[in-house]
Amino acid sequence: MPTLTRARQSHAALAHAVSPAAWRRSLAMRPADAIFAPAVKVGIATSLVLVAGGLLGQEQLAGIASLGALVAAFGRHQPYPRLRRMLAVVAASLLIAAGAGALMGAAGVPLGPQIAVLSVIAGLAAQLFAAVGITGPGAVILVFAASAGSAYAHTADAVPPVLAAVASGAAAGWLVAMAPVLVVPMGPARLAVARAMAAVVRLGTDDAGTRWGDAAAPLRRARESVALSAGRAGQGGRRLLRLQGEAAALHGLLDEAGAALSRHGAARAAALGRLARHEAALRRTWRASSAQTRAARGTAEVPTAAAGVAWPAPTGLLAAARPGLASRAGVGRAVRMAAASALSGWAAVGLGLEHPLWASMGAVAALQGLDYSTTVQRSIQRLLGNVAGAALAIALLSLSPGFWPSVALVVAFQVLAELLVLKNYTLTTIAVTPMALLMTGLGAHLAPDAAFSRVGDTLVGVVAGVLVAAVSISHADRAHLTPPADPAAVQERQRQKGCTAGSKKTRKVVPG
């Protein structure tokens, strides 16, 4: 009976993958805020390493270094004390993946074992990133770096340059991502507080009623971000005292936000109006100053010290990651990703495709979703994006651009991808596909037909990813079986329910 139930659940999951609703949702645009600064940082980091490599005459290594620079794309808007540790983990992971690929390429290891090793690395990295809470491009970048290392290193002498290129790129990405701490050290905390206020305002004006749990998580994350950004109380230094003073004001704003939903009528409306004004002021992070925080708060003074306030120390990454690393669900996700990556790569080898590791990348990218519904959506989006992006890449590669025009295009596509990644993954992949092909062709001619290979490998990868996800789907994973509710329909049903309840109440009060 359990086998029959599993078969039915997998069949329903596969049916969802080909349903028109799933394909329609892949084209939907999602709201996203604060997308400009992260995109600019990634563009700067990529530009630095590509220009430096070109000036040094190391055009192919410049492309490998640009993969290390993608460190800057991870950990968006994390507090800087936490971000520096997260990016160090990403940089180390990239070095391990690129080094493993280069060593196997230099040793002449056949593609089959290479795919197996890199799939295991991708699964382990995905588990680590999820446990630590590292957001961003994910483990797919590690497979890309390993593939580049394997393609470049044909002898043992070529392994150190690959490692040096990735390390220099990762260092540039780390420095660019951390540079704003010198100007706006409380920037991520201010954004977190603004987002928490926006969540409270949305709930307070929701006709469907208040769901406090939807605001509790943003408020909790904001408090943690403020505490981490401010540093430990009791430590000296004028800069630290200023940060703790601003943190005290931000905690006060969070107190005000937490109390807003407990009010009613005109008092609630006034409180929500103040929160909306505070949110707008806090989002101007380029003017992060205590004076602006005082203006947003509407107070005359902000404390210059956090006397009596105990600021929690940043949690160590190992301590934060330990529960996730040991969780059964996390281990299951890592195994599924490694299996899908290996199966898709081996299938691409069997089909005679030119770049089997691109198929592995497709499977890894698809399985970075949190549940089966997201896996299907990402698979569809990646496939559609690769088809459209390949058409664009064919046109560009047909022009045989030189190194410097390719650099300009790579940077432009990278920035565009970062601007779109939170809005729609299909559009993101349309930008990523030509960027990846141009990056692969830096220092070496890449024919336009490589774009066709990219589409074929991607198709193999996403199909393998969806099949593995469907066969191994959890009994608790049922989001794909429930269509997203129409907000207008929900409100109408609740209005009718309220009218019905009122009618029943009237019939009880008025006889006859």
Side-chain angles (χ1 to χ4, degrees):
M1 186 65 181
T3 303
L4 181 59
T5 303
R6 164 67 66 180
R8 288 176 176 172
Q9 190 171 12
S10 298
H11 180 271
L14 291 173
H16 169 74
V18 296
S19 66
W23 287 74
R24 283 196 302 270
R25 282 199 292 274
S26 67
L27 302 176
M29 297 291 288
R30 296 176 299 180
D33 65 344
I35 60 175
F36 184 73
V40 170
K41 287 192 287 187
V42 175
I44 292 173
T46 304
S47 300
L48 287 175
V49 297
L50 288 176
V51 170
L55 293 176
L56 294 173
Q58 299 293 333
E59 298 176 350
Q60 195 169 357
L61 285 175
I64 297 176
S66 66
L67 294 173
L70 291 179
V71 163
F74 288 80
R76 284 190 176 206
H77 307 303
Q78 288 287 346
Y80 292 111
R82 175 181 288 165
L83 180 63
R84 67 170 182 259
R85 295 173 172 85
M86 287 184 168
L87 298 188
V89 171
V90 175
S93 302
L94 275 168
L95 278 171
I96 292 172
L103 287 171
M104 289 188 291
V109 176
L111 268 176
Q114 282 194 45
I115 291 169
V117 171
L118 297 181
S119 297
V120 171
I121 291 176
L124 292 175
Q127 168 72 344
L128 176 62
F129 291 175
V132 178
I134 299 175
T135 57
V140 67
I141 298 301
L142 273 64
V143 181
F144 197 177
S147 174
S150 176
Y152 180 85
H154 300 295
T155 63
D157 294 340
V159 175
V162 169
L163 294 175
V166 174
S168 61
W174 190 95
L175 289 171
V176 171
M178 289 297 300
V181 74
L182 301 175
V183 182
V184 283
M186 296 294 289
R190 293 165 63 87
L191 178 61
V193 173
R195 286 174 168 174
M197 290 182 172
V200 171
V201 170
R202 283 195 301 270
L203 288 180
T205 56
D206 185 2
D207 293 336
T210 297
R211 300 175 301 279
W212 174 247
D214 292 347
L219 287 169
R220 183 177 62 253
R221 287 194 297 267
R223 287 197 183 278
E224 184 181 24
S225 182
V226 171
L228 289 169
S229 299
R232 298 185 182 184
Q235 295 179 346
R238 294 179 59 184
R239 183 174 186 271
L240 185 60
L241 290 176
R242 179 177 61 81
L243 293 181
Q244 291 175 353
E246 186 172 354
L250 292 174
H251 277 297
L253 290 173
L254 291 172
D255 291 339
E256 184 178 345
L261 292 179
S262 63
R263 299 175 182 174
H264 303 280
R268 170 182 281 199
L272 294 177
R274 287 194 301 271
L275 291 181
R277 292 191 295 272
H278 295 333
E279 178 200 353
L282 289 170
R283 287 185 181 276
R284 294 193 289 272
T285 55
W286 59 87
R287 296 178 58 193
S289 65
S290 296
Q292 185 190 20
T293 304
R294 286 196 297 269
R297 182 82 195 276
T299 58
E301 292 292 337
V302 169
T304 57
V309 179
W311 305 103
T315 305
L317 286 186
L318 182 59
R322 192 175 291 116
L325 290 173
S327 72
R328 185 176 178 180
V331 172
R333 283 194 299 268
V335 171
R336 283 196 297 274
M337 179 174 289
S341 173
L343 290 173
S344 59
W346 292 334
V349 171
L351 292 171
L353 296 178
E354 189 176 355
H355 301 281
L357 285 175
W358 287 356
S360 294
M361 281 190 276
V364 170
L367 285 167
Q368 287 177 174
L370 297 177
D371 53 29
Y372 179 77
S373 178
T374 308
T375 295
V376 169
Q377 183 172 320
R378 286 179 64 87
S379 298
I380 295 172
Q381 290 173 327
R382 188 169 182 87
L383 181 59
L384 294 177
N386 268 271
V387 171
L392 180 57
I394 289 171
L396 294 173
L397 292 174
S398 298
L399 299 175
S400 298
F403 177 78
W404 293 112
S406 295
V407 166
L409 289 169
V410 166
V411 173
F413 281 127
Q414 181 66 68
V415 172
L416 181 61
E418 292 298 321
L419 289 171
L420 295 171
V421 66
L422 296 181
K423 290 182 171 293
N424 183 276
Y425 189 56
T426 301
L427 298 178
T428 303
T429 311
I430 292 174
V432 166
T433 299
M435 179 204 73
L437 291 170
L438 289 167
M439 192 182 294
T440 302
L442 289 175
H445 177 69
L446 192 66
D449 59 3
F452 294 105
S453 178
R454 170 89 178 189
V455 173
D457 287 312
T458 298
L459 177 61
V460 172
V462 299
V463 169
V466 170
L467 287 175
V468 169
V471 170
S472 61
I473 190 169
S474 167
H475 290 292
D477 189 350
R478 305 182 63 83
H480 60 285
L481 301 177
T482 306
D486 181 5
V490 171
Q491 291 188 10
E492 178 63 21
R493 285 196 300 269
Q494 290 178 343
R495 186 188 67 80
Q496 293 177 355
K497 183 178 178 181
C499 292
T500 303
S503 176
K504 290 181 179 178
K505 183 176 180 181
T506 302
R507 285 197 298 269
K508 288 181 180 180
V509 174
V510 181

